[in-house]
Amino acid sequence: MDKGTLSFGVELELYIAVCVSGNSMPRPERFELHPGRPLQIDQLDRYEVTDTLASRIMTRVRKIAPRAIVHQRPGNNRRAIDPLSQMSLMNYQEWSVTLDPSLREIADLVEESEEERYGWLGVEVVSPALWATKAGFDEVRQVCDFIQNTFWITTPPTAGLHIHVGFGGHWPPLMSLRQVAAFLYAADPILAHSHPGHRWNNRYCPSIRLYSRVSRGMQNRHAPQRPSQINEQEHYVPSFNNSVSPPTMSLGSYLASLMRKPTSNEEKPTRSNFPPRPTGSAHKLNPQMLQDTSENPLVVLQGADLHPVPMLEAVDEILQCENIDTLSDLMGINRVRGTFNFNNLSYDVKRTIEFRQGASTIDSIEVISRARIAIRLCEFAAGANPSELMKIIIDFSAAEFDSSWYDFYDLFMELGLHPEAKVVQACLNGTMSDDVRREYLQRRELGL
């Protein structure tokens, strides 16, 4: 995969304090020394809140230069964006703010009355599609810092951080998408540990390893065949890799030759400066969630084998997909979107792979670290040769038998994500500080 071809976007779910102009809102706990204030609005109207916040963000964004927006500035070293690709980016040209229905169940905007003229509203702040460059990451950092320092914001466990990774509006080769899907599917159990426990088995991002259709036994021949909403020729972009072709890639014999399960006498890979590898799995099958997402809930109720198919069987099935629709079906979960969502590829909405397991945060360093991790995972998997890809997938499979064999810190180190690993470590153990942030910025040369 060529450098500079990947793009990304962030979706920040959060609560913002709002107050009708001319009134005051009592300062909540934890905000005693906060420099910001509630968002001032003319009346308690939800859409006025979203429009006002979006306007304030855009006023700040206009001061940022250079911009890295995919739709407006493809860059001299990138392919021109065709009209169909432009359509998939139309709604992602600038920052926007939308209402988030999933956040209404805990806190809500206080209705207008003589006594109360303020409250909290759950919203989602959505970035434009940005190139995965220094300018793109820096724009996200500045917007997050602006929101955090200007307004009263809270990010409860019910909210999430979603990262979208795309290819600048283009279709990558099908082979690359298959490899990304297989890689993320196999990595799902260890990547869960890079997020707080309340994001495990979360109903808004259930595990694709546990609940996806391929884990429940769907094979390519079972996937429904439906007319594609896009030109099938779009699935193959010769300028990415002239050697890419549609035939399937069966790795059955290759998997068998590489399959291993660590033994008590086998030496585990070493590493330093990170916590010990976990001794238990973050993946505990929830029968109720399985029933809710099952194509045949009666089978679950009757006590059938609830374990997912063996990981390497599912990986082999994913790597044999012949089109994007089938890939999306295999990776999907009935009625909900999983930890890694491929539905956007199938329906040509955003042409992105969505990372959904992140916990809500407005900390700019955590947000861009999570974005860099998602981008690097896709970049590696899309461009890896089969041997490189399967080496790590075999480690994922071995870790499913013995979680102390290999974890996300090992993966991040292999992929050159040491600065991001340190940020994740600080977030998980509650030691995130200005020193950690400064060190990260220095390591990634984003400037102080």
Side-chain angles (χ1 to χ4, degrees), residues 40-311:
Q40 300 296 301
I41 54 178
D42 292 332
Q43 58 181 334
L44 286 179
D45 179 82
R46 299 175 186 277
Y47 295 102
E48 181 174 343
V49 172
T50 57
D51 291 346
T52 302
L53 179 56
S55 176
R56 293 288 302 275
I57 292 173
M58 285 309 305
T59 298
R60 176 65 185 87
V61 165
R62 291 187 187 100
K63 301 176 183 179
I64 299 175
R67 303 290 302 281
I69 299 176
V70 172
H71 186 274
Q72 296 178 353
R73 305 185 180 200
N76 294 332
N77 64 330
R78 301 182 179 95
R79 294 178 292 128
I81 300 179
D82 62 85
L84 188 59
S85 298
Q86 290 277 19
M87 290 178 61
S88 71
L89 298 169
M90 286 296 294
N91 294 326
Y92 303 96
Q93 301 179 55
E94 279 298 357
W95 290 85
S96 62
V97 181
T98 63
L99 296 171
D100 193 310
S102 68
L103 298 182
R104 294 180 185 176
E105 60 190 48
I106 289 183
D108 210 342
L109 187 66
V110 176
E111 296 298 331
E112 185 174 3
S113 69
E114 293 183 1
E115 295 81 19
E116 297 178 299
R117 305 282 287 177
Y118 54 80
W120 296 84
L121 181 66
V123 299
E124 183 175 68
V125 179
V126 182
S127 78
L130 299 165
W131 291 113
T133 61
K134 177 181 180 297
F137 297 125
D138 198 45
E139 178 166 326
V140 171
R141 179 173 66 89
Q142 292 189 54
V143 170
C144 288
D145 286 342
F146 168 73
I147 295 173
Q148 185 175 47
N149 296 327
T150 306
F151 308 108
W152 293 349
I153 299 294
T154 185
T155 54
T158 53
L161 165 67
H162 302 161
I163 307 293
H164 287 261
V165 179
F167 300 81
H170 295 290
W171 285 114
L174 180 59
M175 180 181 291
S176 295
L177 286 177
R178 289 192 301 230
Q179 292 193 173
V180 172
F183 181 80
L184 294 178
Y185 173 86
D188 184 51
I190 70 164
L191 288 176
H193 284 280
S194 69
H195 302 285
H198 64 80
R199 300 301 289 179
W200 305 350
N201 258 330
N202 188 292
R203 65 191 178 105
Y204 293 113
C205 53
S207 162
I208 60 171
R209 172 66 185 124
L210 293 180
Y211 305 105
S212 65
R213 296 185 185 93
V214 70
S215 287
R216 296 292 113 203
M218 177 182 278
Q219 299 175 335
N220 281 276
R221 59 190 175 88
H222 299 148
Q225 300 299 312
R226 59 179 180 269
S228 177
Q229 298 187 22
I230 60 175
N231 182 351
E232 286 294 326
Q233 295 302 315
E234 283 274 304
H235 292 192
Y236 306 102
V237 185
S239 58
F240 267 84
N241 184 340
N242 291 327
S243 65
V244 172
S245 55
T248 60
M249 180 173 62
S250 177
L251 294 176
S253 59
Y254 182 67
L255 294 175
S257 68
L258 289 180
M259 178 57 187
R260 58 185 168 87
K261 176 178 177 179
T263 67
S264 57
N265 297 324
E266 188 173 359
E267 182 180 356
K268 293 179 171 62
T270 59
R271 54 108 183 269
S272 60
N273 301 323
F274 289 110
R277 297 180 182 90
T279 56
S281 174
H283 281 77
K284 304 295 183 183
L285 191 71
N286 182 329
Q288 183 61 54
M289 185 174 293
L290 182 59
Q291 182 179 343
D292 292 343
T293 59
S294 175
E295 301 229 9
N296 187 354
L298 184 62
V299 172
V300 179
L301 291 173
Q302 292 175 342
D305 184 7
L306 304 184
H307 294 92
V309 301
M311 179 182 289

Side-chain angles (χ1 to χ4, degrees), residues 350-364:
K350 300 177 184 177
R351 296 190 180 184
T352 61
I353 299 163
E354 183 183 14
F355 289 61
R356 295 182 52 82
Q357 198 166 18
S360 175
T361 179
I362 200 66
D363 187 303
S364 61

Side-chain angles (χ1 to χ4, degrees), residues 183 254 380 383-393 414:
F183 181 80
Y254 182 67
F380 167 78
N385 63 51
S387 179
E388 291 174 326
L389 183 71
M390 293 312 304
K391 173 186 177 296
I392 295 186
I393 287 179
E414 283 197 53

